[in-house]
């Protein structure tokens, strides 16, 4: 059965995946549009490199297409599964990188002071990305999922296959490290209120 | 200390908001590649089931009668029946078949053409 494309907006991810497995082309497009941006953004935040993030996003989506016929409804959310696959793929890449190129952590752009609001926002995002790159992988993943993706601690615990308390510990340590890393740059990033 | 922690939270939240607002979107090229992968996987799956059909039916039959042990029993029983037909043991001839009619006619009834041919050869 074919459904009109805009009718897919209210269809849950898991149902779309079943439709995809049954050969529905509209479901393929809907899942691509719905999932790829999230997968791409998450991979970028874990890797800090746009080209690598695109490769990871394509591979993660390919794994989703392949597993679709075996997907068991009610066992896991598609997004949970995808976040886990992205994290694993990113970990593999970071391991290959480790000790070889410290330059992979992107440098922030230096045009923030006196720039317009949009540029200031971009500068802050870049600075955060650089600071995230300095965190241990698990701390980075937990902080990104909690504070940028906006997931709950139980969801993150499921994705990372750890307990909720461990998630809380990782995010707390991660945020402390981020604060330390960003403290020295507060003036150039528009903070003049004594944040420390 | 507490005030400092609150300011840290507020300051970090500003960074997180900036990150959310400037999320790196996928390029058009990536979207096209992902969709092409999806369509290729679907197309491959459409072709695949035709070859697997007979195997699935045999598997269903096997499971319906109780799996491989039941299949082995069925085959053994079939072979035993075939052997009894080809080479019946002598004891079978002693069975009291009179109740079903004449002993010879009972066997003739099983293989009528063969029996008549043998009789013709003996008489001829």
């Amino acid at each position: 059965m074919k459904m009109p494309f805009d009718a897919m907006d209210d269809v849950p991810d898991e149902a779309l995946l079943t439709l995809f497995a049954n050969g529905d082309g509209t479901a393929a497009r809907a899942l691509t549009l719905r999932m790829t941006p999230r997968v791409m953004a998450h991979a970028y935040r874990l890797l800090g490199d746009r080209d690598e993030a695109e490769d990871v996003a394509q591979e993660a989506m390919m794994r989703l297409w392949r597993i679709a016929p075996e997907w068991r409804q009610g066992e896991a959310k598609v997004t949970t599964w995808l976040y886990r696959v992205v994290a694993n793929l990113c970990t593999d890449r970071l391991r290959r990188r480790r000790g070889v190129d410290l330059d992979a952590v992107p440098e922030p752009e230096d045009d923030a002071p006196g720039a317009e609001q949009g540029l200031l926002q971009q500068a802050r995002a870049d600075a955060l990305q650089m600071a995230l790159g300095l965190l241990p992988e698990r701390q980075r993943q937990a902080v990104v999922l909690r504070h940028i993706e906006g997931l709950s601690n139980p969801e993150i615990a499921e994705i990372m296959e750890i307990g909720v308390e461990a998630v809380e510990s990782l995010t707390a340590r991660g945020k402390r490290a981020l604060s330390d890393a960003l403290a020295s740059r507060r003036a150039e990033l528009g903070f003049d209120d004594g944040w420390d | 200390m507490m005030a400092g922690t609150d300011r840290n939270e507020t300051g970090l939240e500003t960074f997180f908001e900036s990150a959310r607002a400037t999320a790196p979107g996928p390029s058009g090229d990536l979207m096209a590649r992902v969709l092409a992968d999806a369509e290729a996987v679907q197309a491959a799956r459409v072709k695949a089931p035709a070859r697997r059909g007979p195997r699935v039916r045999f598997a269903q039959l096997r499971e319906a009668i109780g799996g491989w042990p039941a299949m082995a029993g069925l085959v053994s029983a079939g072979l035993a029946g075939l052997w009894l037909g080809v080479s019946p043991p002598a004891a079978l001839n002693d069975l009291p078949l009179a109740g079903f009619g004449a002993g010879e006619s009972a066997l003739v009834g099983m293989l009528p053409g063969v029996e008549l041919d043998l009789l013709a050869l003996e008489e001829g």
Side-chain angles (χ1 to χ4, degrees), chain A residues 13-14 16 29-41 57 61 64-65 78-79 82, chain B residues 31:
Chain A
D13 302 336
E14 292 71 25
L16 273 183
R29 286 192 293 280
L31 275 171
T32 299
L33 289 173
R34 192 183 290 185
M35 294 297 163
T36 310
R38 295 177 77 164
V39 168
M40 165 69 195
M61 291 301 291
L64 180 67
W65 305 139
V78 172
T79 48
L82 272 174
Chain B
M31 296 297 277

Side-chain angles (χ1 to χ4, degrees), chain A residues 22-102:
Chain A
N22 291 333
D24 189 311
T26 311
R29 286 192 293 280
L31 275 171
T32 299
L33 289 173
R34 192 183 290 185
M35 294 297 163
T36 310
R38 295 177 77 164
V39 168
M40 165 69 195
H42 192 51
Y44 173 75
R45 283 161 184 151
L46 296 184
L47 291 169
D49 182 283
R50 192 184 172 89
D51 290 339
E52 277 197 290
E54 291 215 338
D55 289 345
V56 164
Q58 185 178 5
E59 175 61 25
M61 291 301 291
M62 177 57 105
R63 293 188 185 192
L64 180 67
W65 305 139
R66 286 183 177 146
I67 204 172
E70 297 154 39
W71 192 267
R72 282 185 267 184
Q73 297 287 330
E75 277 201 2
K77 287 170 67 177
V78 172
T79 48
T80 300
W81 186 88
L82 272 174
Y83 278 129
R84 195 181 295 158
V85 169
V86 167
N88 289 339
L89 291 170
C90 289
T91 298
D92 290 344
R93 283 176 178 260
L94 291 169
R95 279 189 187 139
R96 287 202 295 270
R97 256 193 217 173
R98 191 168 295 145
V100 177
D101 83 16
L102 292 171

Side-chain angles (χ1 to χ4, degrees), chain A residues 20 23-25 29 32-33 36-37 40 44-45 50 54 58 61-62 65-66 69 121-122 124-125 128 143 147-148 175 178-179 182 189 191 194-196, chain B residues 4-5 7-31 33-35 37-39 41-42 45-46:
Chain A
F20 170 81
D24 189 311
R29 286 192 293 280
T32 299
L33 289 173
T36 310
M40 165 69 195
Y44 173 75
R45 283 161 184 151
R50 192 184 172 89
E54 291 215 338
Q58 185 178 5
M61 291 301 291
M62 177 57 105
W65 305 139
R66 286 183 177 146
Q121 197 166 51
Q122 186 62 55
R124 285 173 178 167
L128 176 66
V143 168
H147 295 286
I148 302 180
K175 283 199 297 181
L178 286 179
S179 293
L182 293 166
L189 294 170
F191 291 93
W195 172 59
D196 57 14
Chain B
T5 304
R7 279 199 295 275
N8 277 351
E9 290 285 325
T10 308
L12 274 183
E13 185 49 43
T14 307
F15 280 98
F16 293 140
E17 278 173 16
S18 297
R20 283 192 290 271
T22 59
S27 64
D29 179 55
L30 173 63
M31 296 297 277
R33 290 196 326 251
V34 169
L35 188 55
D37 285 344
E39 289 169 351
V41 169
Q42 279 185 323
R45 201 166 291 139
V46 167

Side-chain angles (χ1 to χ4, degrees), chain A residues 126-148:
Chain A
D126 290 343
L128 176 66
Q129 187 61 46
M130 189 193 71
L132 281 170
L134 301 174
L135 297 184
E137 284 168 39
R138 301 285 279 177
Q139 282 183 26
R140 186 187 320 148
Q141 189 186 359
V143 168
V144 167
L145 289 170
R146 182 76 187 94
H147 295 286
I148 302 180

